[in-house]
Amino acid sequence: MPVSESMIAGLIDLDRAGDEGLTARLTGQLRSLIASGRLGKGHVLPSSRRLARDLGVSRNTVTYAFEQLAAEGYLAASHGRRAVVTVDGAERLDAAEAATPRPRSGQPRLSPWASQLKQTDWPMSYLAPLKPLRPGHCDAREFPYEIWGRCLRRTAVGAAKRELGPVNRPRLCAALAHYLATNRGVRAGAEQILILPSAQAALTLIAAAVITPGDEVWVEDPGYPGAAAAFRASGARVTGIGLDEQGMQRVAGLAPPTLIFMTPSHQHPTGRLMSLARRTEFLKLSRPGKTWIVEDDYDGEFHYDSRPVPALQGLDVHGRVFYVGTFSKAMTPDIRLGYLVAPPALVSTLEIAQRHIGLIAASPVQEALAEFIADGHFLAHLRRMRRLSHARRDHLVGGLQRHLGDVLSVEVPSGGIQLVARLKRGRADQAVAKRLVEAGVVTRAISSLALGQPRDHGLLLGFAAWRESEISAALRTMASCF
Ligand SMILES: Cc1ncc(COP(=O)(O)O)c(C=O)c1O
C-alpha cells in the first residue's frame, strides 16, 4: 500500500541505531521502503526539515541519507526541492537486498494507534533534562516527604481493615469535590470524579470514550502536545486553533467539532486567561449536544496577583465539560495522580473504560492523599508553594528585565509555573533554545509547540521549580549566549 507523507516517519525505527549510526540506519530503512514498493516511483518525500523534526534527528542526518540514496540512484534530490523516488521497488529489489544491511530484528507491524503515537513522537522529544529553567515543573524538593510518608504508612498498614472495591476511593473523591468546589468553582458531586495516574491518562480515557476515527478535534495552537497526541492516536482529525488576547479563538465558518481541548485558566504555553465572553461562546457552541469541551486546569493552584478565575466547568449547566487536573504540579510529578471530573451522562461509561484499560491508581496512595488533604497538609503545602513560586516569578522577571531587557521582552503571568519571553529581534526561537541548552539552560521554544506552521515564537521559561540562586545563575549563562 502506498504510504502518505505523514506516515513515513512512523515506518522508520531509529531507536536501536547503535554503532550502525543514525544516518546509515535511516538510509537503510528508506532504501528498504523503496525496494519493497511502499515508496513507489514518483513518490515525493517529506522535506528534510519535516522528516528530521518528525524523527527527532538533525536535519543533516536526513540530508546525508537523501544524498546517499540519490548517489545510489533511488532518489532525485536537488537543493531547494523535495526528494522524489526514481525507481519502482521491483527494479531495485535485488540490488537493495544486497546493499541493505539486514536489520537486526524485523520491523514490527504497528497498529494505527501506535504508528500515530510514534509519528507524533510524544512524549520522547518533549523530555528535556531537568535543569534550570525547564518549564512545566514545580519544585519537588520542597514537598513535605516526611508528612506524606506518615500518611502513606498509616494507609498501607490500615489496608486490611479497608473495604476492597471502589477503584475511585470515596474519601478522596469527596475531599477533591470539596476542594474543587471551594477553590476552583467546579460544580460536581464526588461520584463524578475518577482518580487516574495522571492528567495524560484522563485525556487518553476521554479519547477512548468519545472519539470515533475521523472525528474533528480542536486544540489550542500553540498548545500542549500531549493533548494533540492523545486525540490523534485515537484517530481524530486534530485542528489547531490560533489564539488572541482572549485565548483560543472562536473561528467563524468552521462546523462544530466533536471535542475541543483547552486550558482556559492559564493557556499552555502562553499563560493567557480566556475571557468570560469567550468561555460563554464556547459553552454555547457545545450546547446543542454534539461538542464536548475538555478543560485542562493543569496549574490552576498557582495564582499570585489576584483571585483565581473559576473553572469553565462551573459555568456549564448542560453537562458538556470534562474537567481534568493533576497533582504533578501541586505536589510532585512522581506521585502519579491526576483526576477527571466527568459529565454526568458519561460517568458510568468512563468507569467501565477506566477498569477495562486499567487506568487505576493504587488504593493506599489514594487513601494517603485523602488523609493528606483532610489533615490540612495539602492546602498548607499549596500556600507555601504559592509564596515561593510568586517570589521566584518576580526574581526571574526582574532578572530578565535587568540583564536581558534589550533582547527579550517578558510577559508577566498572574499565575502558573512558567512564563513567556519574546525575542525582540527575529523569530528564531528554536535556534536560541538550542544555543541555550548547549550552554546548560533548558527552555522550550514556543514554535516547537505548534501543530503546523508556527503562529507564535518565544521562549517558555520555568520559574516555580528553581531556586532564586539557580535562576540567577541561569540568567548569567543566558546573558552570555545573546
Ligand atoms: C497543559 C498540561 N496538561 C497536562 C499535563 C500532564 O500532567 P500529568 O503529568 O498529570 O500527565 C501537563 C504536563 O506537563 C501539562 O503541561
Side-chain angles (χ1 to χ4, degrees):
M1 206 203 346
V3 177
S4 73
E5 179 176 313
S6 60
M7 294 287 291
I8 290 180
L11 297 171
I12 292 172
D13 178 11
L14 299 178
D15 286 353
R16 294 178 303 277
D19 48 14
E20 190 187 333
L22 273 179
T23 309
R25 191 165 174 93
L26 176 60
T27 311
Q29 294 205 10
L30 284 169
R31 197 190 284 115
S32 302
L33 287 173
I34 298 170
S36 65
R38 297 198 76 181
L39 299 179
K41 191 171 187 169
H43 196 113
V44 182
L45 294 185
S47 67
S48 55
R49 184 188 301 275
R50 172 167 180 183
L51 191 56
R53 191 197 62 208
D54 290 350
L55 292 170
V57 300
S58 80
R59 200 167 162 203
N60 276 347
T61 301
V62 177
T63 310
Y64 292 147
F66 282 0
E67 284 172 1
Q68 174 64 29
L69 291 169
E72 292 174 16
Y74 288 93
L75 295 180
S78 57
H79 187 68
R81 311 188 68 170
R82 308 253 302 269
V84 182
V85 177
T86 49
V87 291
D88 264 332
E91 291 173 29
R92 283 282 170 171
L93 194 53
D94 294 344
E97 281 191 341
T100 310
R102 288 216 164 269
R104 287 184 195 132
S105 60
Q107 279 274 97
R109 189 167 159 271
L110 298 177
S111 68
W113 181 83
S115 303
Q116 266 300 341
L117 279 180
K118 270 194 93 174
Q119 202 174 311
T120 325
D121 192 26
W122 172 260
M124 299 326 287
S125 63
Y126 194 72
L127 298 175
L130 191 52
K131 281 208 227 167
L133 300 166
R134 177 168 155 183
H137 282 263
C138 60
D139 194 344
R141 295 169 293 189
E142 297 291 339
F143 186 64
Y145 290 102
E146 280 299 322
I147 299 175
W148 175 240
R150 286 202 291 276
C151 295
L152 271 176
R153 183 167 191 290
R154 269 199 296 275
T155 55
V157 171
K161 294 194 217 107
R162 252 193 330 265
E163 178 204 0
L164 277 179
V167 159
N168 303 298
R169 306 302 298 180
R171 250 178 98 204
L172 178 56
C173 295
L176 250 180
H178 177 72
Y179 165 76
L180 292 174
T182 48
N183 289 273
R184 303 296 301 121
V186 170
R187 300 196 317 178
E191 69 292 346
Q192 281 171 258
I193 298 183
L194 281 78
I195 309 294
L196 300 162
S198 60
Q200 189 64 32
L203 302 182
T204 298
L205 192 62
I206 294 168
V210 302
I211 298 295
T212 301
D215 279 356
E216 179 76 8
V217 168
W218 293 353
V219 298
E220 296 157 326
D221 187 9
Y224 173 56
F231 295 119
R232 271 213 187 106
S234 71
R237 284 181 291 126
V238 175
T239 302
I241 306 289
L243 313 167
D244 62 17
E245 289 313 311
Q246 298 189 60
M248 190 180 207
Q249 282 173 323
R250 181 67 191 92
V251 187
L254 291 182
T258 302
L259 185 146
I260 309 174
F261 171 85
M262 58 175 73
T263 48
S265 297
H266 194 229
Q267 201 273 332
H268 177 90
T270 61
R272 270 172 222 165
L273 172 72
M274 185 180 283
S275 68
L276 182 60
R278 193 60 58 77
R279 288 169 189 238
T280 310
E281 280 186 73
F282 278 116
L283 285 172
K284 260 196 211 141
L285 181 80
S286 73
R287 200 160 300 159
K290 289 213 178 80
T291 301
W292 299 105
I293 294 178
V294 176
E295 174 179 22
D296 180 1
D297 201 14
Y298 64 106
D299 67 356
E301 298 85 5
F302 294 86
H303 48 85
Y304 312 122
D305 301 325
S306 50
R307 280 189 60 75
V309 175
L312 172 90
Q313 193 271 3
L315 301 172
D316 169 36
V317 287
H318 295 274
R320 304 301 302 170
V321 177
F322 294 87
Y323 177 88
V324 172
T326 177
F327 287 96
S328 289
K329 322 283 177 192
M331 292 172 79
T332 114
D334 67 2
I335 198 155
R336 291 290 88 211
L337 282 176
Y339 50 91
L340 167 58
V341 179
L346 283 178
V347 172
S348 64
T349 307
L350 286 162
E351 281 176 348
I352 293 170
Q354 177 191 23
R355 278 178 185 264
H356 183 76
I357 309 178
L359 290 179
I360 297 170
S363 292
V365 181
Q366 293 193 46
E367 295 287 344
L369 181 55
E371 193 163 316
F372 191 76
I373 295 174
D375 290 352
H377 303 305
F378 181 60
L379 283 181
H381 176 59
L382 276 187
R383 272 196 299 274
R384 204 169 86 75
M385 293 311 285
R386 238 179 252 138
R387 264 200 313 276
L388 209 63
S389 305
H390 189 168
R392 291 174 177 185
R393 178 202 68 173
D394 291 348
H395 188 73
L396 178 59
V397 169
L400 284 168
Q401 286 167 343
R402 260 193 314 281
H403 304 298
L404 289 138
D406 51 340
V407 283
L408 294 176
S409 70
V410 189
E411 290 178 9
V412 185
S414 61
I417 52 181
Q418 54 209 11
L419 58 77
V420 176
R422 310 251 169 224
L423 301 177
K424 286 194 170 166
R425 285 182 292 279
R427 297 158 76 82
D429 58 353
Q430 297 196 34
V432 173
K434 185 160 179 284
R435 221 161 48 231
L436 291 175
V437 83
E438 280 161 10
V441 177
V442 178
T443 66
R444 183 135 201 120
I446 301 285
S447 68
S448 71
L449 299 170
L451 244 82
Q453 203 54 24
R455 306 168 200 247
D456 202 359
H457 299 77
L459 296 174
L460 189 60
L461 311 174
F463 53 80
W466 310 109
R467 295 183 177 135
E468 293 185 16
S469 57
E470 292 167 330
I471 293 174
S472 296
L475 284 168
R476 280 194 296 279
T477 307
M478 286 176 75
S480 68
C481 288
F482 282 94

